[in-house]
Amino acid sequence: MPKRVYIYTVGCQMNQLDSQLVADLLDQHGYQVVGSVRQADVILFNTCSVRQHAEEKIYSLLGRLKHLKRQYPEKIIGVLGCMAQKDGEAIFRRAAHVDLVVGPGRLARLPELLAQAAAGTRPLLAISPWSERSDRQTLLAGFEPFDPPRRPQHLQPPFQAYVRIMSGCNKVCSYCVVPRVRGPERCRPPEEIHEEVSRLADAGCLEVTLLGQTVNSYQYRSGGRTIRLADLLSLLHQIEGIRRIRFVTNHPRHMSDDLLQAVRDLPKVCPCFHVPAQSGSNTVLRRMQRGYTVEFYREMLARIRQTVPEASITSDFIVGFCGETEEDFQQTVQLVEEARFKNAYIFKYSPRPGTKAAELYPDDVPLDVKRRRNHQLLQLQNRISLEENQKFIGRQVEVLVEGPSKFGQKAPQTQSSVQLTGRTPCERIVVFPGDRGLVGQFHWIRITGATPTTLLGQLEQHPIEVASCRLERGNWLPVISQ
Ligand code: 5AD
Ligand code: SF4
């Protein structure tokens, strides 16, 4: 009987992708992926360290498994990912029933590590060596790539995929644990990415999202030429079957004109830019070591909108960063007010051990002030998101139907017609009644209503023969694929 593995995932899209790759890799090694802890012989947590809350959640879930482990000591419990790299051996001290701790730079070894654990060698620690004093090359060698050959026919859902184009991060943002847990930046060769996307397309994948911590800094030198993200997009655009290409997360300093022009000129590339600002105050941005000013960020927004007028732009903000005054915060409010983001993710600053900010600056903004600023910014962004979404009422949008909507489950549903959800090229979520058989297809939806997070609509009857749509003189027009 195959060994059964349960994988629980928290964190960003990169982590979601790692879990998918782990599941596929283990499946190829004779494991069966199951949906509950009780059924599983191996229980894996793929973890995040970006805020303390994410870590506490995992420690609490681990705590709840203590009893199960006492009952079934042969079950293997593993902690993977960012928290594994950050806390290392300390995890065994905090949760003695954990058998395996594997960092993001050691995931490729997982089948072998699980075999050792099953043979009785426990606990096992597999993390990348890390020291403040190590040079980039040494660190890079310690963070092994994890891009195992995946079987595209096993993709769930079959029509959408994340594709890693780079791992790690070379930035030095003072609040951020990512470079410490995922190591220095490493870009994948364009041929390898092209090959992966082609295989996904052959298996029926329609939409790929290219992933990197600072995806727009992608560059690969080969044969005297440097391939940047704009070149990679052109290359992937040629792949037949792929209808949409997205990329996240962008850094403001790498939003080059050639990238903007590529998004403008390549119809399959969705006109969306997730480009975190983090703060609207230059004093705070300097302390965060973001490497730009708010004036630079504003100028970048203007350049995006000039080149790609239909662009939807989203952002991240941290409120209550060390030393953030009321005046600093008001400058963030001002930026959010002006920028008219499609939406923005707002986080309360959480000091991360091992980061420069945690070492250098006291976490001096009280929790109630962080909460108030978070709430105020969210309220403002919600108002803007709603106003921006309302502009779609009466328009037709192209939607890739993703599945039944959680939102719709409470609504009365007939057998065949349910509330479905899908996404526009500009990444707006659209909910509409329709047949389950539409999942995985492109359809035109006429928008009839809007909330800050969702567009509501009705299915138009004509099918779609288009690759994308563009905003022209206030209307979304289809761009016919060649
Ligand atoms: N505290 C709070 N938020 C953080 N982020 C990154 N590090 C921290 C931290 N220490 C936020 C940033 C980033 C997003 C993924 O998480 O806004 O863009
Ligand atoms: Fe993703 Fe960063 Fe969390 Fe790691 S720490 S899972 S890279 S968000």
Side-chain angles (χ1 to χ4, degrees), residues 450-470:
T451 73
T453 53
T454 315
L455 300 177
L456 309 168
Q458 295 293 331
L459 192 67
E460 291 280 332
Q461 284 319 314
H462 48 277
I464 286 203
E465 295 285 341
V466 296
S468 178
C469 54
R470 292 260 177 246

Side-chain angles (χ1 to χ4, degrees), residues 35 40 75 94 103 114 144 151-152 214 234 242 346 478:
K75 281 190 198 271
R94 237 179 119 168
L114 282 174
E144 298 161 0
R151 294 165 310 164
T214 57
S234 300
I242 294 297
I346 297 153

Side-chain angles (χ1 to χ4, degrees), residues 12 49-52 175-178 249 274 276 278 290 315-319 321 345-352 355:
C12 61
S49 282
V50 82
R51 282 170 291 277
Q52 197 183 341
Y175 54 81
C176 189
V177 77
V178 174
T249 290
H274 180 60
Q278 311 297 4
R290 284 291 286 172
S315 194
D316 289 347
F317 287 92
I318 297 176
V319 293
F321 184 64
Y345 301 92
I346 297 153
F347 305 103
K348 296 186 283 290
Y349 172 60
S350 166
R352 305 288 51 223
T355 61

Side-chain angles (χ1 to χ4, degrees), residues 18-316:
D18 279 341
S19 287
Q20 287 172 13
L21 295 174
V22 162
D24 194 20
L25 182 67
L26 293 183
D27 188 278
Q28 291 180 58
H29 279 79
Y31 289 81
Q32 182 196 349
V33 179
V34 293
S36 83
V37 161
R38 290 246 154 229
Q39 289 170 284
D41 307 301
V42 177
I43 303 163
L44 300 175
F45 292 91
N46 195 7
T47 61
C48 172
S49 282
V50 82
R51 282 170 291 277
Q52 197 183 341
H53 177 72
E55 294 187 346
E56 276 162 9
K57 184 171 174 177
I58 295 295
Y59 279 118
S60 141
L61 288 172
L62 282 173
R64 279 159 52 184
L65 287 186
K66 224 188 246 175
H67 185 67
L68 186 80
K69 178 76 175 175
R70 217 172 288 138
Q71 252 182 311
Y72 304 99
E74 69 288 356
K75 281 190 198 271
I76 298 174
I77 300 180
V79 174
L80 317 180
C82 297
M83 198 181 95
Q85 177 65 32
K86 176 177 152 286
D87 288 359
E89 210 155 346
I91 295 176
F92 298 128
R93 288 196 290 274
R94 237 179 119 168
H97 54 299
V98 170
D99 300 294
L100 199 61
V101 168
V102 186
R106 286 286 185 270
L107 287 176
R109 303 186 186 189
L110 196 57
E112 177 197 325
L113 290 163
L114 282 174
Q116 285 176 29
T121 318
R122 327 177 178 181
L124 279 169
L125 176 70
I127 58 175
S128 309
W130 199 91
S131 151
E132 201 77 71
R133 289 174 300 279
S134 304
D135 62 78
R136 203 176 155 271
Q137 278 317 315
T138 313
L139 286 175
L140 205 52
F143 283 87
E144 298 161 0
F146 181 55
D147 299 300
R150 67 211 275 190
R151 294 165 310 164
Q153 64 278 19
H154 284 236
L155 195 64
Q156 260 329 314
F159 49 87
Q160 283 175 320
Y162 291 132
V163 174
R164 187 180 351 254
I165 66 165
M166 59 205 286
S167 54
C169 181
N170 279 354
K171 297 282 180 278
V172 289
C173 305
S174 60
Y175 54 81
C176 189
V177 77
V178 174
R180 159 87 179 71
V181 292
R182 286 200 175 255
E185 185 177 294
R186 183 201 310 265
C187 295
R188 282 179 81 191
E191 310 79 52
E192 200 178 300
I193 301 167
H194 185 273
E195 161 75 15
E196 184 170 333
V197 175
S198 302
R199 282 171 19 89
L200 287 163
D202 289 345
C205 181
L206 302 168
E207 179 183 286
V208 288
T209 302
L210 311 180
L211 298 185
Q213 306 299 343
T214 57
V215 73
N216 55 346
S217 74
Y218 174 88
Q219 58 169 359
Y220 193 87
R221 287 199 189 87
S222 143
R225 226 195 122 202
T226 301
I227 314 279
R228 296 179 195 282
L229 182 58
D231 308 307
L232 186 66
L233 290 173
S234 300
L235 188 71
L236 301 179
H237 195 266
Q238 295 163 20
I239 299 174
E240 214 176 301
I242 294 297
R243 300 267 298 262
R244 284 182 177 175
I245 305 173
R246 304 185 183 280
F247 52 97
V248 279
T249 290
N250 294 283
H251 191 281
R253 276 182 57 174
H254 299 281
M255 203 57 88
S256 58
D257 286 337
D258 67 331
L259 175 59
L260 298 181
Q261 284 153 14
V263 177
R264 178 194 63 196
D265 296 338
L266 301 170
K268 293 181 184 179
V269 178
C270 295
C272 314
F273 298 89
H274 180 60
V275 50
Q278 311 297 4
S279 171
S281 152
N282 281 336
T283 321
V284 174
L285 286 173
R286 206 173 311 117
R287 215 173 292 134
M288 286 178 165
Q289 298 188 178
R290 284 291 286 172
Y292 55 83
T293 60
V294 68
E295 292 76 19
F296 180 93
Y297 189 87
R298 282 200 172 92
E299 188 267 339
M300 178 215 65
L301 287 181
R303 271 190 311 113
I304 297 179
R305 289 197 165 119
Q306 193 174 24
T307 313
V308 191
E310 77 275 30
S312 70
I313 306 175
T314 56
S315 194
D316 289 347

